[in-house]
């Protein structure tokens, strides 16, 4: 998945239905809920149980800086 992928415009967080942001690591991030979703073999894993909670404030701030525009 790349930043120009049109799929990014329609993908939404399964919990709050808001937009997701592509990280340079290839995962998707919801900064509102601080949840990171993996992308495996180009397929976003968007089940609520697939998301990882980011609890560390420093990590959250670092992810905000890394979000693709």
């Amino acid at each position: 998945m790349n930043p120009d992928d049109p799929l990014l415009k329609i993908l939404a967080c399964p919990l709050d239905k808001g937009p997701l942001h592509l990280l340079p690591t290839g995962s998707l991030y919801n900064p509102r809920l601080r949840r990171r979703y993996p992308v495996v073999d180009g397929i976003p894993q968007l089940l609520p149980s697939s998301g990882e909670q980011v609890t560390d404030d420093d990590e959250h701030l670092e992810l905000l800086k890394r979000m693709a525009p």
Side-chain angles (χ1 to χ4, degrees):
M1 183 166 271
N2 63 54
D4 298 330
D5 195 325
L7 184 62
L8 283 174
K9 293 182 181 188
I10 61 171
L11 287 178
C13 175
L15 298 175
D16 75 354
K17 311 301 186 235
L20 295 167
H21 301 274
L22 183 63
L23 297 173
T25 59
S27 57
L28 296 167
Y29 189 57
N30 177 341
R32 299 168 307 284
L33 298 180
R34 293 182 164 198
R35 291 193 64 83
R36 177 177 30 217
Y37 296 93
V39 177
V40 179
D41 295 328
I43 301 169
Q45 307 298 305
L46 295 178
L47 292 172
S49 61
S50 297
E52 172 191 16
Q53 191 69 39
V54 175
T55 56
D56 183 0
D57 289 337
D58 291 334
E59 182 180 7
H60 171 67
L61 291 174
E62 185 62 32
L63 291 173
L64 289 177
K65 289 178 191 175
R66 290 180 171 187
M67 287 187 338

